[in-house]
Amino acid sequence: MPTPFPQEFREDVVHIVLNRDPGVTRDDIAKDFGIHVGTLDKCLREARAHDSHEPAPSKTENAELRELRQRNTLLEQEAHARFATEILGAPEGQLAIHSLAEFASGGTVIVLCYESDHSQCHRSLVIREVSELLESKA
């Protein structure tokens, strides 16, 4: 079993995450400290549990959370696949892709998204379709 990080180290990591500048991600901080982002998340959970005087999640709860996150990832992948086939594959979708590619061939095009949850954004699929179309014309 790996040796746990010293309490002072965990407290420093938590302090930096909670007081980070905008644009600095948990992944960035984990990389800077040389730890896995999962370890950083565990430090945060333990600190929150300690601050709220609630017990840390049990191994069963952690396993359930892990399973739910995996299920969520699978559902997101399925939603992206459906979008690619049902929307982008439809005649109207292809017309939109061709129009956007024509626009992009004249210069820079910025594709924006209004989704508040970035995992629900499909612009990467649109950009990939447009890029492939432009490359096939080159």
Side-chain angles (χ1 to χ4, degrees), residues 76-91:
E76 288 172 1
Q77 291 169 345
E78 289 173 359
H80 276 82
R82 273 196 317 276
F83 179 82
T85 57
E86 295 173 11
I87 305 297
L88 295 180

Side-chain angles (χ1 to χ4, degrees), residues 2 4 7 30 32-33 43 45 54-55 64 71 99 104 107 128 130 132:
Q7 183 64 30
D32 288 346
F33 275 90
C43 292
R45 283 192 308 273
E54 293 178 18
E64 185 178 328
R71 176 77 175 133
S99 298
R128 186 187 70 218
V130 169
E132 287 174 2

Side-chain angles (χ1 to χ4, degrees), residues 4 18 25 41 76-77 126-127 138:
L18 296 178
T25 66
D41 288 340
E76 288 172 1
Q77 291 169 345
V126 172
I127 293 167

Side-chain angles (χ1 to χ4, degrees), residues 69 115 133 136:
R69 286 185 187 112
E115 286 289 346
L133 185 59
S136 69

Side-chain angles (χ1 to χ4, degrees), residues 64-76:
E64 185 178 328
L65 282 172
R66 194 169 29 258
E67 184 179 319
L68 289 171
R69 286 185 187 112
Q70 290 171 345
R71 176 77 175 133
N72 192 43
T73 299
L74 179 62
L75 290 172
E76 288 172 1

